[in-house]
Amino acid sequence: MRIMKNLQNFLLDQDYYIDIFNNCLHVYYYMEMVSLSDKQIELKLKEFTLVIEGENLLVSAMDNHEILVKGIINNVRFVR
Amino acid sequence: MKHYVLIRINTNKKSKVILKLNKINVDIRNVRYEDKAIILEVLSEDLKRIKKYLLSEKVEIIGDTGVYEAKRVIKNNMQLIVSVIFGLLVFLVLSNVVVKVNVVHQSSEIRQLLSDALEERGVKPLTFKKSYQEYEDVITDIKNAYKDKIEWLEIDVQGMVINVRVEERIINEDKQEDANCHIVAAKSGVIRSILTEKGVAMVRLNDFVKKDDILINGEIMLNEEVKNNVCAKGEVYAEVWYKVGVSLPLDYVEEEYTKKMRFNFMVKDKNEEYVILKSRVKEKEVKNVLLFKLFNLEFYLQKEYEVRRVNKTYTEEEALNKAKELAYEKMAIKSNKQTDKIHEKYLKKNINNGNLDIDMFIAIEEQIGVKKYYSISESDTDVE
């Protein structure tokens, strides 16, 4: 999957990717994790802050640029 | 390959820990949340940093991942794995070993004959089993070697035992026995002894006979009338003559053993021989000692004896004796029989370009009688 993402990133040259699934959310190229709780996660991206709200939110995997959040996602907001 | 380790962080403040890990740029994956702990996979190189920054939490390694986990499991269970592999090998070896060869036949002579023939061809106890094709080859080989004794042969492999079933060939010789025959001369010569068992001797001692002359007649005559016909039987020895020519070089190379001997190993398959170590002896004579056989491969211990080649020259007397030996060898092949020498004479003896050339006349005594079948109505037929 990462190969595909890298390829897409290379071809489309985007600053970030956000994939939303039924009960997980995958963010590619975030800059910083601002806050983390089981009800809200705030991720700082290049031009805005992404606020994920829900229940039982958990970080399943994470590295410098990429994060996978699992849980019941109720709301995803862009705060500029 | 990245080495991820599985760690447990005992904490009540899971979000804080994750945030802290994020701050110090630690890659994490497969995060599982437990009641009072988080279990996650981190890079082994990040472990030091994690322990440094999470001072208030207890961080413990609980396992490896991927290949490293497999390696750890193998290392921890090495004894068991080695035992299983060894057990399998022993099982494999034992299930391919022959412990007994049973030859099933009433006659002990046939059983012994076949046991020897099988042993010569590598079918013997405490050796590895052969493939179906190899057994077929052995059967064909034995059948060809003992055409007159073996009618049918079967090799049946049952576990570690080989049962060999055989049918003896019974040749009905009644017809030949009933047939009429003379004993005739196979070669020209002077009769030295006659032993007649059946038939009428037609020659006397010191008679000269030519090839195909009747020596013992199968026709029993009385008053110039044939009274009976039998198959003549007997042995007729005659003095026959051979002329043999031999050329022997006077210079020859003799190999002398030095006391130097080196070991080597050799693996032999059906067609090729592979020497394992580089030979440390230049001029050598090699003797092979079979160590063991594994499937189609044979492993040998080689003893390389160093030899020194020395150029020598025969004296005239030595050369003559050697040439005579060669002449007799040559004649034995020619006459194809063990014979008694009566007398010998050199016809020619000269040394030419370092070679000794001799022509010999040798007279020997040998059995010259052979059967020649005939029918009463017709004349001569086959010669045996």
Side-chain angles (χ1 to χ4, degrees):
Chain A
M1 284 304 284
R2 188 171 287 190
I3 295 168
M4 283 296 290
K5 289 283 174 199
N6 284 340
L7 194 63
Q8 280 176 354
N9 191 39
F10 173 76
L11 293 171
L12 299 169
D13 195 22
Q14 298 294 321
D15 289 334
Y16 63 88
Y17 265 96
I18 303 169
D19 295 329
I20 303 175
F21 303 96
N22 190 24
N23 56 358
C24 70
L25 187 139
H26 181 213
V27 181
Y28 198 76
Y29 270 121
Y30 76 100
M31 292 169 73
E32 190 190 343
M33 188 189 286
V34 180
S35 71
L36 171 67
S37 71
D38 62 345
K39 292 199 171 158
Q40 183 178 306
I41 298 171
E42 284 183 38
L43 298 173
K44 196 178 174 196
L45 276 80
K46 196 177 178 185
E47 290 169 356
F48 56 88
T49 304
L50 184 73
V51 182
I52 306 150
E53 290 167 346
E55 290 164 37
N56 302 325
L57 294 177
L58 304 167
V59 175
S60 182
M62 168 182 88
D63 70 8
N64 269 355
H65 309 293
E66 203 177 347
I67 189 164
L68 181 67
V69 178
K70 280 185 179 175
I72 302 162
I73 298 163
N74 294 330
N75 192 14
V76 180
R77 288 189 286 122
F78 296 80
V79 179
R80 288 180 193 272
Chain B
M1 187 186 281
K2 284 182 176 177
H3 180 195
Y4 279 90
V5 287
L6 193 65
I7 61 166
R8 174 188 278 124
I9 304 171
N10 295 319
T11 178
N12 287 326
K13 298 163 189 173
K14 294 164 199 162
S15 302
K16 266 192 173 177
V17 167
I18 298 285
L19 267 173
K20 226 170 190 177
L21 292 174
N22 182 255
K23 286 269 175 340
I24 59 172
N25 283 333
V26 171
D27 292 359
I28 60 173
R29 65 181 200 187
N30 293 336
V31 186
R32 279 182 285 142
Y33 295 81
E34 288 187 346
D35 195 18
K36 285 182 179 177
I38 321 170
I39 294 171
L40 45 91
E41 289 175 15
V42 294
L43 283 168
S44 62
E45 62 210 48
D46 290 337
L47 208 58
K48 242 183 190 175
R49 234 157 7 114
I50 293 168
K51 282 183 177 171
K52 191 178 169 186
Y53 282 94
L54 300 178
L55 284 172
S56 53
E57 280 83 19
K58 190 184 168 193
V59 180
E60 54 181 338
I61 300 168
I62 55 172
D64 270 306
T65 58
V67 177
Y68 295 94
E69 176 66 5
K71 266 170 118 176
R72 193 181 62 80
V73 170
I74 289 169
K75 204 175 170 184
N76 289 348
N77 298 295
M78 189 56 92
Q79 277 184 334
L80 178 73
I81 293 165
V82 168
S83 311
V84 169
I85 292 171
F86 182 72
L88 282 172
L89 275 174
V90 169
F91 173 75
L92 196 73
V93 168
L94 286 181
S95 62
N96 276 294
V97 165
V98 177
V99 292
K100 198 175 178 189
V101 180
N102 276 331
V103 180
V104 187
H105 197 267
Q106 289 172 333
S107 158
S108 61
E109 191 192 336
I110 291 287
R111 284 204 301 271
Q112 188 58 46
L113 174 89
L114 212 59
S115 296
D116 293 346
L118 287 166
E119 201 171 318
E120 265 176 36
R121 288 156 182 85
V123 184
K124 54 186 175 183
L126 301 177
T127 54
F128 282 102
K129 285 179 193 169
K130 293 177 184 294
S131 66
Y132 174 78
Q133 191 51 49
E134 282 173 314
Y135 281 128
E136 285 295 308
D137 293 345
V138 168
I139 290 171
T140 316
D141 197 17
I142 292 176
K143 273 183 178 175
N144 287 337
Y146 303 101
K147 271 179 189 168
D148 53 336
K149 289 188 177 166
I150 292 167
E151 179 77 47
W152 171 84
L153 183 67
E154 182 195 57
I155 295 178
D156 182 20
V157 182
Q158 288 185 342
M160 295 164 88
V161 177
I162 290 181
N163 291 317
V164 183
R165 294 186 185 85
V166 60
E167 277 297 325
E168 190 182 354
R169 173 160 290 174
I170 298 163
I171 298 168
N172 195 351
E173 288 182 341
D174 292 351
K175 199 182 165 190
Q176 291 287 74
E177 284 292 316
D178 289 343
N180 304 313
C181 65
H182 302 302
I183 299 286
V184 296
K187 293 169 185 174
S188 303
V190 177
I191 303 298
R192 292 292 179 211
S193 75
I194 309 165
L195 176 70
T196 310
E197 288 180 41
K198 257 185 194 179
V200 182
M202 301 295 284
V203 286
R204 280 182 289 182
L205 291 181
N206 300 323
D207 278 1
F208 174 79
V209 291
K210 284 183 186 169
K211 194 182 172 188
D212 291 336
D213 281 358
I214 296 174
L215 304 174
I216 303 172
N217 202 337
E219 292 173 339
I220 313 293
M221 311 275 282
L222 184 69
N223 299 330
E224 294 181 0
E225 198 179 311
V226 178
K227 290 287 180 191
N228 195 9
N229 283 284
V230 293
C231 187
K233 203 174 172 188
E235 286 183 350
V236 181
Y237 284 85
E239 185 186 322
V240 290
W241 312 277
Y242 291 100
K243 192 183 163 194
V244 190
V246 173
S247 179
L248 179 80
L250 294 175
D251 295 327
Y252 67 103
V253 177
E254 196 173 272
E255 288 185 345
E256 284 177 0
Y257 285 103
T258 65
K259 287 181 180 174
K260 197 173 170 186
M261 192 270 282
R262 293 287 180 267
F263 288 107
N264 205 336
F265 294 97
M266 189 261 284
V267 182
K268 187 177 169 187
D269 70 2
K270 261 189 174 178
N271 310 315
E272 295 278 333
E273 289 183 357
Y274 306 97
V275 178
I276 307 288
L277 305 172
K278 193 181 170 187
S279 179
R280 291 169 289 170
V281 181
K282 279 183 183 172
E283 304 276 342
K284 67 198 172 198
E285 197 175 299
V286 178
K287 284 180 186 168
N288 293 323
V289 180
L290 181 65
L291 293 175
F292 60 92
K293 288 181 183 177
L294 189 65
F295 305 109
N296 286 333
L297 296 175
E298 293 174 353
F299 294 82
Y300 288 91
L301 174 71
Q302 276 195 340
K303 288 180 180 175
E304 296 177 341
Y305 295 94
E306 192 182 56
V307 289
R308 191 189 300 127
R309 290 194 167 83
V310 184
N311 292 321
K312 288 193 172 175
T313 309
Y314 288 117
T315 61
E316 197 177 332
E317 196 186 333
E318 281 172 348
L320 209 58
N321 287 336
K322 185 78 185 168
K324 213 162 95 178
E325 269 177 39
L326 287 174
Y328 277 107
E329 274 176 29
K330 209 170 164 183
M331 196 191 65
I333 296 162
K334 204 170 155 186
S335 67
N336 204 21
K337 271 171 199 169
Q338 289 296 322
T339 53
D340 289 331
K341 176 185 72 175
I342 294 175
H343 63 259
E344 64 195 31
K345 192 181 175 186
Y346 293 108
L347 299 176
K348 189 183 95 181
K349 184 171 69 180
N350 55 29
I351 294 170
N352 217 348
N353 294 332
N355 281 355
L356 173 74
D357 299 322
I358 59 163
D359 281 344
M360 279 181 82
F361 172 83
I362 301 167
I364 55 165
E365 197 177 296
E366 69 175 68
Q367 217 279 102
I368 60 162
V370 289
K371 280 181 179 176
K372 186 173 187 180
Y373 291 95
Y374 68 94
S375 57
I376 297 162
S377 53
E378 294 165 31
S379 57
D380 299 338
T381 53
D382 305 329
V383 175
E384 193 181 82

